[in-house]
Amino acid sequence: TEEIVGNWFHERKNRDKIILASKIASKSDGLEWIREGSKSLGFDKKNMNAAIDESLKRLKTDYIDLYQLHAPERKVPKFGKLDFEYDPEDSWVELEEVLSSLQDLIKQGKVRYIGVSNETPWGTMKYLELAETKSLPRVASIQNAYNLVNRGFEIGLSEVTMHEQVGLLAYSPLAQGTLTGKYLGGQMPQGSRLALFGDGPLMMRYKGDKTQQAIEM
């Protein structure tokens, strides 16, 4: 996607007219094809520098307006899960260190604003607290799933974002296409997201019986 957008910038010469957002992936999502696999996808300074430089090269630009942390490194409930399962062996880069590395990117002119994605109320508030107490960059936005059959954002996060003025960039507004009705009655359109990625975590949360009943209504 970054290469496509970068080529589009190059052809149109319109970078200054666009608000550009991109992300750095974390080790928590099993994205084995990014930077030699998820085991190396930490939010440490080395990985962050590598990620931003590769993104800027693909995008054919020297800065990104909004740079987002794509899912916490720590184990958190996401993709339809609501319960937090504590793991004493869980490890991640300290959030203050993450913000410090992002501050360096801002000072270098490579990033203008920062955001989070698939984040929790605790994580969002912790980032905001560190920004205020340590004079670090403040989270401007959060990108989480939100739609008529996935309203987990309303539990805790809606209050945080309203009071703290963190904008929501809602993804999956049509619940991975299920709210269009194209899967009703057992239909499976060829090439659809459900046909291609039906067993993935993004789709599994919309397969429950209650979810299907809500969609039919």
Side-chain angles (χ1 to χ4, degrees):
T1 302
E2 287 183 333
E3 289 178 352
I4 293 170
V5 172
N7 290 335
W8 185 73
F9 283 150
H10 181 71
E11 294 170 3
R12 298 292 184 92
K13 311 298 182 186
N14 61 348
R15 173 67 186 93
D16 61 329
K17 298 180 175 62
I18 301 296
I19 296 175
L20 174 65
S22 194
K23 292 181 173 181
I24 174 174
S26 78
K27 63 182 181 182
S28 66
D29 283 343
L31 304 175
E32 301 295 339
W33 60 90
I34 299 178
R35 293 196 305 287
E36 301 179 357
S38 61
K39 292 182 180 179
S40 65
L41 297 181
F43 284 160
D44 57 278
K45 193 177 188 67
K46 179 181 178 181
N47 263 303
M48 195 169 288
N49 285 336
I52 190 73
D53 288 342
E54 291 169 10
S55 287
L56 292 174
K57 182 178 180 180
R58 288 188 291 265
L59 288 162
K60 294 182 171 59
T61 185
D62 56 3
Y63 71 99
I64 292 173
D65 295 288
L66 177 65
Y67 199 49
Q68 301 160 102
L69 304 171
H70 181 64
E73 282 188 288
R74 63 191 193 280
K75 296 177 182 178
V76 299
K78 60 184 178 180
F79 302 145
K81 294 182 179 180
L82 298 178
D83 295 331
F84 171 65
E85 298 177 3
Y86 175 67
D87 181 358
E89 301 299 321
D90 193 14
S91 63
W92 65 86
V93 178
E94 292 295 329
L95 303 192
E96 183 176 346
E97 181 180 341
V98 175
L99 287 180
S100 180
S101 295
L102 289 167
Q103 186 176 57
D104 288 343
L105 297 182
I106 292 173
K107 288 179 178 179
Q108 294 172 41
K110 295 179 179 180
V111 171
R112 292 191 172 177
Y113 298 94
I114 63 168
V116 292
S117 180
N118 294 309
E119 189 52 272
T120 66
W122 179 85
T124 305
M125 285 302 302
K126 194 64 178 178
Y127 276 123
L128 293 170
E129 175 193 349
L130 289 167
E132 183 174 348
T133 59
K134 304 291 185 178
S135 298
L136 291 167
R138 194 178 195 277
V139 168
S141 64
I142 181 170
Q143 187 175 39
N144 282 36
Y146 185 51
N147 54 62
L148 290 174
V149 290
N150 184 351
R151 299 171 63 178
F153 186 83
E154 295 176 1
I155 305 172
L157 271 169
S158 59
E159 181 182 19
V160 169
T161 55
M162 286 295 293
H163 287 306
E164 300 296 332
Q165 298 184 323
V166 176
L168 169 63
L169 304 178
Y171 76 80
S172 194
L174 292 177
Q176 309 294 346
T178 60
L179 287 173
T180 66
K182 63 184 177 183
Y183 300 121
L184 292 178
Q187 298 181 83
M188 187 62 69
Q190 185 178 1
S192 65
R193 183 182 288 264
L194 186 57
L196 295 173
F197 310 109
D199 294 329
L202 292 176
M203 292 302 302
M204 290 300 292
R205 56 180 151 178
Y206 300 117
K207 283 189 170 183
D209 292 339
K210 290 184 178 180
T211 302
Q212 291 303 308
Q213 292 174 15
I215 292 171
E216 291 173 4
M217 294 174 64

